[in-house]
Every structure is written in C-alpha cells, then in structure tokens.
C-alpha cells in the first residue's frame, strides 16, 4: 500500500510539472507503473486542445522515457497528435 501511495504522489507531481521530485520519490528515473504515463497523457491532451502539438509530443516522449513499457502506445499517440486524429 505504501508503494501505491508513493506512486500516486509521484503521479501528482508529474501532473504539476515537478518531474525531478517525482523521480526522487519513485527512487528511479523509470517505472512500469501506468499511472505515471497517464499523467503525461493528461498534460498532452490539454496541450493538444490548446493547439500546442509540439509540447504535447514532448509530454508523450517524457512518458515513454519514464515508462519504457509505454513506448509502442506512446508512438501511436505521437502519430495521432501529428496527424490531427487525437482530439
């Protein structure tokens, strides 16, 4: 339960642009926990809605870097951002 709470806290930090502290809390620069990737996707979605596709792609790339298991899905999301099918 401690691990879950730690990851939820790290996810909140990611959502609030405090990635370095999130990594410190997690104890690693990478994780397999999907909640972390979800936080980056939430940020990316907001950026897409504002029309800032470049920043949205950067957020997805951060998700891929932090959650390596997310790579194939992340690449599909990036493609959807660039081709305009992600709304």
């Amino acid at each position: 339960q401690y691990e879950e709470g730690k990851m939820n806290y790290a996810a909140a930090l990611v959502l609030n642009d405090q990635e370095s502290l999130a990594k410190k809390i997690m104890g690693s620069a990478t994780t397999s926990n999907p909640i972390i990737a979800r936080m980056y996707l939430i940020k990316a979605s907001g950026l897409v809605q504002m029309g800032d596709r470049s920043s949205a792609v950067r957020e997805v790339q951060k998700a891929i870097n932090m959650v390596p298991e997310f790579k194939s899905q992340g690449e599909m999301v990036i493609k959807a951002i660039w081709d305009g099918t992600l709304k």
Side-chain angles (χ1 to χ4, degrees):
Q1 197 165 27
Y2 169 76
E3 190 65 27
E4 182 180 344
K6 185 171 80 168
M7 285 311 222
N8 287 337
Y9 181 51
L13 291 169
V14 165
L15 194 57
N16 288 287
D17 297 318
Q18 296 183 18
E19 285 109 353
S20 61
L21 184 54
K23 289 175 186 176
K24 187 175 180 178
I25 297 294
M26 291 185 325
S28 173
T30 62
T31 181
S32 61
N33 193 310
I35 192 171
I36 301 296
R38 265 185 250 133
M39 294 304 108
Y40 283 109
L41 291 177
I42 289 169
K43 290 172 66 176
S45 176
L47 291 163
V48 166
Q49 290 175 4
M50 293 187 319
D52 190 352
R53 292 189 294 181
S54 294
S55 293
V57 167
R58 277 193 296 277
E59 292 300 322
V60 177
Q61 289 169 334
K62 288 179 189 179
I64 292 168
N65 290 338
M66 198 177 265
V67 187
E69 291 87 355
F70 178 68
K71 184 176 179 168
S72 63
Q73 289 174 300
E75 289 172 348
M76 289 188 301
V77 171
I78 289 170
K79 182 182 180 316
I81 290 170
W82 284 128
D83 67 19
T85 58
L86 184 72
K87 306 270 184 218

